[in-house]
Amino acid sequence: MKKILILTLCFLMCFITLTPTAFAKCSHKNTKWETLQEATCTKAGKRVKLCTKCGKSLKTERIKKKNHTLKRYIKKATCTSNGLNWERCSRCNYTHILNKIPAKGHAFGVTHYGASCTAPEMTIKTCERCGKKETTTKGKPIGHKWGKWQLVSVNASGVRNYRTCVRCGLKQYKNSRYKLKIRGVVNQINWNRILKA
């Protein structure tokens, strides 16, 4: 019996020492907003008002969706590829094509070269915008038209001659070695001595 009495007294003391606020209803004066789902450019978000004291959810609100933040971009058209004019959202990368710009095509300037000694007749088309070149040839090279051989020098090693193409001015050189057989021995001619004599 003593045990029951002591236990009852302890229980009463604990019950009396508890403050009445522990059993009082929360007034929800201190609150904060928590975001449950962020708003995006295409979807609304959600947030909730919570009591910081008891943690009770007091109110739920919808967060308005954000509008796209669009920035305009232009890819210029080239001679062979189309261009593009578009907008892109900096938040969600949504892309909206405004219009396509058609390819410009080549703007060729033409240069014509007649046939030469080493090259056939040639037409070169060069695009003024992109620099692309197209070359067409016609016929064959006309070849060199050589003039007469001219003497350049005469010395112990031989004779040096040249001739010139009358069309392109190219010079062609030729060396000749002259040898005489005297008493079974091969000697080179000393042309300088012969010419001075």
Side-chain angles (χ1 to χ4, degrees):
M1 183 82 152
K2 275 186 178 182
K3 285 184 185 181
I4 293 174
L5 185 61
I6 292 173
L7 203 57
T8 310
L9 284 175
C10 286
F11 179 71
L12 285 173
M13 285 176 65
C14 289
F15 186 71
I16 293 169
T17 57
L18 288 174
T19 57
T21 56
F23 295 104
K25 196 173 184 184
C26 183
S27 62
H28 309 304
K29 286 184 180 179
N30 297 326
T31 60
K32 68 175 181 177
W33 286 98
E34 289 278 334
T35 303
L36 299 176
Q37 184 180 5
E38 289 284 346
T40 64
C41 297
T42 56
K43 288 184 179 179
K46 195 186 254 187
R47 71 182 189 158
V48 66
K49 188 177 186 179
L50 297 172
C51 177
T52 56
K53 192 172 183 182
C54 69
K56 184 176 180 182
S57 173
L58 303 172
K59 186 178 181 182
T60 303
E61 278 186 2
R62 188 172 167 246
I63 303 170
K64 280 179 145 183
K65 69 178 182 178
K66 300 173 183 177
N67 291 326
H68 290 296
T69 306
L70 296 173
K71 185 176 179 185
R72 181 173 266 184
Y73 296 92
I74 295 174
K75 177 193 168 203
K76 292 183 178 180
T78 64
C79 296
T80 56
S81 65
N82 294 329
L84 200 59
N85 189 0
W86 78 94
E87 293 176 328
R88 177 179 286 150
C89 178
S90 60
R91 276 195 289 264
C92 69
N93 285 331
Y94 164 78
T95 302
H96 172 67
I97 295 173
L98 299 172
N99 65 329
K100 292 181 180 178
I101 305 164
K104 295 178 180 180
H106 293 293
F108 284 114
V110 179
T111 307
H112 181 79
Y113 298 99
S116 67
C117 298
T118 56
E121 186 177 339
M122 190 180 307
T123 303
I124 300 174
K125 295 179 183 178
T126 307
C127 179
E128 296 167 0
R129 284 192 277 267
C130 70
K132 180 182 178 180
K133 290 188 177 188
E134 291 181 3
T135 305
T136 55
T137 58
K138 182 180 175 184
K140 294 181 179 180
I142 54 177
H144 294 292
K145 184 176 181 183
W146 297 109
K148 292 183 179 182
W149 286 101
Q150 305 284 326
L151 180 65
V152 175
S153 64
V154 177
N155 58 30
S157 61
V159 178
R160 184 162 169 87
N161 294 318
Y162 76 94
R163 62 182 179 175
T164 306
C165 176
V166 294
R167 290 191 187 109
C168 67
L170 179 73
K171 291 188 178 184
Q172 184 182 43
Y173 290 90
K174 175 174 85 172
N175 292 328
S176 302
R177 289 188 85 162
Y178 294 101
K179 296 180 181 179
L180 292 175
K181 213 173 197 186
I182 303 172
R183 294 187 199 147
V185 178
V186 177
N187 289 323
Q188 294 180 350
I189 299 174
N190 189 337
W191 288 99
N192 290 336
R193 284 188 187 166
I194 294 171
L195 290 174
K196 286 180 184 176

